[in-house]
Amino acid sequence: MTDRADDIAAFLAQTEWATATQKPLQQDASNRRYIRLVQDNRRAILMDAPTSAGEDVRPFVDITNRLRDAGLSAPEIYAQDVAAGLLLLEDLGDDLFADTLAHTPEMEIELYTAAVDVLIALHHQTPAPGLAAYDAATMGPLAALAAVWYAPNQALETEIAHAVSALAADILPERMGMIQRDYHAQNLLWLPNRSGLSRVGLLDYQDAMLGPLAYDLVSLTLDARRDVDPAIHTAMIAHFAAGTSQTVDAVTRQAALCGAQRNLRILGVFARLWVRDGKANYLSLLPRVWGHLQTCLAHPDLAPLATLCAALPAPDADHLAQIKARR
């Protein structure tokens, strides 16, 4: 056994799952991995997040408790060893929104409406204290990752950071909520046997912060990993606006800013995943991310940022080859 296998065996020995069959699940962009445990027709999920690889399960535990206290379907934590980076979690199943919609595309409105209803509920709740702020000061530097990793340009990095921060200070709503930051069809599970808000199972939310809920709205409807009908995007903006007593114009403006900021950040993050970490599969998503960025930059209030972003190259074959060569 490896040392990590010994750690896992010792952890599971303190639970009812010591003799369970272990089935590794698909790994995400982090250094975490997930293992499905099967025993006597019961299932659970083991999160393996080794501290030696820079992982820390404490934010996941904190946000899980916050979401469950809000009546939402984050997985129950059955057991934990924070020092070892091991969590035993409720298994919410395999029915990701992305997979459900691949088989039953006619459910798109139903699923996306249910997901936006979760955001509306979070808008109306007062978040417990202690969340870091995703505000103007934070959003600018993160957007500038596009000019750090996607198309390195130090002068442009500074200009994008300043422009996004200035726009955020003007556009962001006064009321903030808990944003999960990766709220999209591959991190949401459809749980039709539950009711109301609990039909939406939540995953990968450990980076949650206090910010504009329009950020999660565009994370959902301007998805880096799947094409969403633009009519769905428009309809969900209207649904969110009605549910939060805002005008459609106000939410459209917030969504444009949050979408531009998010997709600039993703351009940088996906390039970094290859250049620094050797994870190539995210490069194929860059053209879709670029398209979302152009959609958001078309809003007239983002004209100053659009002018700056005109200096960024599109992710065509030549630029993708340049990114690949920087590994």
Side-chain angles (χ1 to χ4, degrees):
M1 278 183 138
T2 65
D3 290 342
R4 195 58 183 167
D6 288 340
D7 291 342
I8 290 172
F11 173 65
L12 292 178
Q14 302 174 53
T15 74
E16 300 176 352
W17 300 86
T19 60
T21 300
Q22 299 185 17
K23 299 180 179 180
L25 301 177
Q26 183 175 355
Q27 189 171 350
D28 62 16
S30 72
N31 290 313
R32 297 182 300 273
R33 66 182 181 124
Y34 298 89
I35 300 169
R36 171 166 280 145
L37 306 178
V38 181
Q39 180 170 283
D40 300 329
N41 296 318
R42 296 182 300 141
R43 303 195 311 187
I45 298 293
L46 175 71
M47 179 195 289
D48 176 15
T51 55
S52 60
E55 294 294 321
D56 183 356
V57 299
R58 289 174 297 178
F60 183 90
V61 172
D62 175 41
I63 303 303
T64 296
N65 292 334
R66 292 172 186 258
L67 292 169
R68 289 181 61 82
D69 287 346
L72 302 176
S73 289
E76 181 180 351
I77 299 175
Y78 297 145
Q80 57 185 287
D81 185 335
V82 170
L86 295 167
L87 298 177
L88 184 62
L89 306 172
E90 176 186 9
D91 188 343
L92 294 177
D94 296 312
D95 293 331
L96 294 172
F97 272 34
D99 297 335
T100 299
L101 292 171
H103 295 104
T104 53
E106 66 274 12
M107 292 183 65
E108 194 163 32
I109 282 285
E110 181 181 5
L111 268 62
Y112 276 69
T113 300
V116 173
D117 284 342
V118 169
L119 302 183
I120 292 171
L122 288 171
H123 170 89
H124 288 296
Q125 293 181 357
T126 300
L131 289 176
Y134 201 79
D135 55 11
T138 303
M139 293 175 76
L142 288 175
L145 289 175
V148 177
W149 294 96
Y150 172 74
N153 182 325
Q154 191 168 11
L156 186 60
E157 175 190 350
T158 300
E159 291 175 324
I160 288 177
H162 287 166
V164 169
S165 291
L167 286 165
D170 178 52
I171 292 174
L172 293 186
E174 182 176 342
R175 185 175 182 83
M176 298 292 197
M178 183 169 64
I179 59 170
Q180 297 167 60
R181 298 185 58 209
D182 272 322
Y183 193 77
H184 55 73
Q186 287 189 320
N187 281 338
L188 300 174
L189 289 154
W190 185 235
L191 307 174
N193 293 329
R194 301 187 182 186
S195 61
L197 299 176
S198 64
R199 293 179 301 166
V200 180
L202 306 174
L203 301 172
D204 201 19
Y205 43 69
Q206 61 279 340
D207 294 327
M209 300 177 75
L210 184 67
L213 281 155
Y215 185 93
D216 279 357
L217 181 63
V218 295
S219 176
L220 177 71
T221 61
L222 299 179
D223 194 327
R225 294 164 177 80
R226 74 178 297 268
D227 293 325
V228 179
D229 188 334
I232 297 288
H233 174 69
T234 301
M236 292 304 105
I237 284 178
H239 183 60
F240 181 78
T244 58
S245 300
Q246 300 181 77
T247 67
V248 170
D249 285 348
V251 175
T252 299
R253 194 169 178 246
Q254 296 164 28
L257 170 65
C258 290
Q261 188 271 345
R262 174 176 170 78
N263 286 289
L264 282 166
R265 181 183 70 83
I266 291 175
L267 286 177
V269 169
F270 283 2
R272 183 177 66 192
L273 282 169
W274 165 248
V275 174
R276 188 189 69 184
D277 303 329
K279 298 179 179 180
N281 51 317
Y282 295 91
L283 295 181
S284 65
L285 302 177
L286 289 176
R288 183 182 291 111
V289 174
W290 179 261
H292 293 331
L293 174 62
Q294 303 313 308
T295 295
C296 296
L297 291 175
H299 193 287
D301 288 353
L302 270 60
L305 180 61
T307 299
L308 291 174
C309 290
L312 292 172
D316 57 19
D318 288 342
H319 189 62
L320 289 174
Q322 290 178 32
I323 294 174
K324 291 176 182 177
R326 287 167 42 219
R327 166 66 179 157

